[in-house]
């Protein structure tokens, strides 16, 4: 009888393991992870992913992006980027282009993704005051970024409510219409429109991942070869977790069938 009980306990253990693997992996100790896949705006050819791990008032942002413009006027192209809040919590479509120049500018996109709440800088200030500080912005075509900073209460509330978006700025002027390529920025007139217009956007939602991918060091960026991402900038972990869950399902079902037959045989012999 003890042998039969032990056999019948095996499926329960397998199903328990499956439940743990399949449960939303938002909590990591006392942390909650939010994630987004960045979508291209304004004809950008870039793509990427962002993870935000929040523990108390501390946020660790990990970002992997590829395909941005590499240089501007012969220098590394600085790509200012922010967490936006306070509006619909969504990214704009091409219909947000109200002046018909073919570019959804910052002000045209704001009714969708809202105001700047945090600036994703390499060092120093992360407040809205650093929003257009090009010296603190990541630069180049590939950005593999990781930084921990203090999160404002307003931003934390927006994350919990699914109303926070990440926007990465900086377009290639050569891809814009002649008028837009010559136009000045709608928020910093000393800069071209291309420099401040959105290239990528994504709304952050609670993640199902067990952990964030390995990212760059706290100082900001590192070579892409050191980051475990696919060519599109997305992390392979969700697929790995799904595969592991499938193995557990198959294993649990097989064990359950075998143990039922063994239990029936033991009853017949008893």
């Amino acid at each position: 009888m003890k042998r039969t009980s032990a056999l019948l306990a095996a499926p329960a253990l397998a199903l328990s393991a499956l439940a743990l693997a399949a449960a939303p992996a938002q909590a990591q100790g006392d942390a909650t992870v939010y994630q987004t896949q960045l979508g291209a705006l304004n004809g950008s050819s870039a793509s990427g992913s962002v993870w935000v791990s929040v523990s108390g008032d501390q946020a660790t942002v990990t970002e992997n992006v590829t395909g941005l413009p590499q240089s501007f006027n012969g220098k590394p192209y600085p790509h200012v980027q922010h967490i936006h809040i306070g509006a619909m919590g969504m990214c704009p479509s091409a219909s947000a282009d109200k002046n018909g120049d073919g570019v959804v500018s910052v002000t045209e996109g704001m009714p969708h993704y809202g105001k700047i709440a945090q600036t994703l800088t390499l060092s120093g200030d992360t407040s809205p005051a650093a929003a257009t500080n090009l010296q603190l912005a990541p630069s180049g075509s590939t950005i593999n970024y990781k930084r921990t900073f203090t999160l404002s209460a307003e931003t934390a509330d927006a994350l919990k409510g699914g109303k926070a978006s990440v926007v990465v700025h900086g377009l290639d002027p050569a891809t814009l219409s002649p008028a837009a390529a010559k136009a000045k920025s709608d928020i910093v007139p000393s800069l071209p429109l291309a420099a401040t217009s959105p290239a990528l956007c994504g709304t952050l939602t609670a993640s199902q991942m067990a952990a964030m991918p390995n990212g760059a060091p706290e100082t900001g960026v590192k070579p892409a070869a050191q980051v475990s991402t696919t060519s599109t900038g997305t992390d392979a972990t969700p697929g790995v977790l799904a595969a592991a869950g499938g193995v557990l399902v198959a294993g649990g079902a097989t064990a359950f069938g075998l143990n039922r037959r063994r239990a029936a045989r033991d009853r017949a012999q008893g």
Side-chain angles (χ1 to χ4, degrees):
M1 197 66 174
K2 289 182 179 178
R3 180 167 173 251
T4 301
S5 299
L7 289 170
L8 290 174
L13 291 173
L15 291 174
S16 296
L18 174 60
L20 287 172
Q26 299 169 10
Q28 301 179 41
D30 61 347
T32 301
V33 177
Y34 302 89
Q35 179 186 8
T36 187
Q37 299 296 315
L38 297 170
L41 293 176
N42 293 320
S44 168
S45 58
S47 61
S49 303
V50 178
W51 297 261
V52 181
S53 177
V54 179
S55 180
D57 67 352
Q58 296 298 297
T60 298
V61 177
T62 304
E63 175 195 46
N64 298 323
V65 171
T66 60
L68 291 167
Q70 172 65 33
S71 59
F72 191 82
N73 288 336
K75 297 180 180 179
Y77 198 139
H79 294 282
V80 294
Q81 48 192 342
H82 319 94
I83 297 177
H84 289 253
I85 65 170
M88 293 184 283
M90 60 187 291
C91 297
S93 65
S95 64
D97 172 24
K98 300 304 181 185
N99 66 1
D101 65 354
V103 175
V104 177
S105 67
V106 171
T107 52
E108 289 172 333
M110 281 182 66
H112 299 265
Y113 48 66
K115 65 182 182 180
I116 295 169
Q118 310 274 177
T119 305
L120 303 181
T121 54
L122 296 177
S123 63
D125 191 6
T126 60
S127 76
T132 57
N133 189 328
L134 303 184
Q135 312 241 333
L136 298 179
S139 61
S141 62
T142 298
I143 296 173
N144 294 315
Y145 170 99
K146 185 174 183 180
R147 189 175 179 200
T148 299
F149 54 85
T150 299
L151 197 68
S152 71
E154 191 178 22
T155 308
D157 288 342
L159 283 167
K160 291 175 186 176
K163 298 287 188 178
S165 300
V166 174
V167 180
V168 180
H169 302 261
L171 301 171
D172 181 354
T175 65
L176 307 183
S177 67
K182 294 178 181 177
K184 297 298 183 181
S185 165
D186 54 331
I187 58 171
V188 185
S190 61
L191 295 175
L193 178 65
T196 59
S197 294
L200 289 167
C201 178
T203 299
L204 291 158
T205 57
S207 175
Q208 304 296 309
M209 294 175 61
M212 292 189 300
N214 292 327
E218 295 297 311
T219 51
V221 289
K222 72 177 184 178
Q226 298 181 41
V227 179
S228 178
T229 59
T230 66
S231 59
T232 59
T234 56
D235 190 78
T237 306
V240 172
L241 291 176
V247 170
L248 281 171
V249 169
T254 302
F256 185 70
L258 289 173
N259 290 333
R260 287 186 63 184
R261 289 196 292 274
R262 289 170 181 167
R265 185 182 61 198
D266 288 344
R267 286 197 298 272
Q269 291 176 352

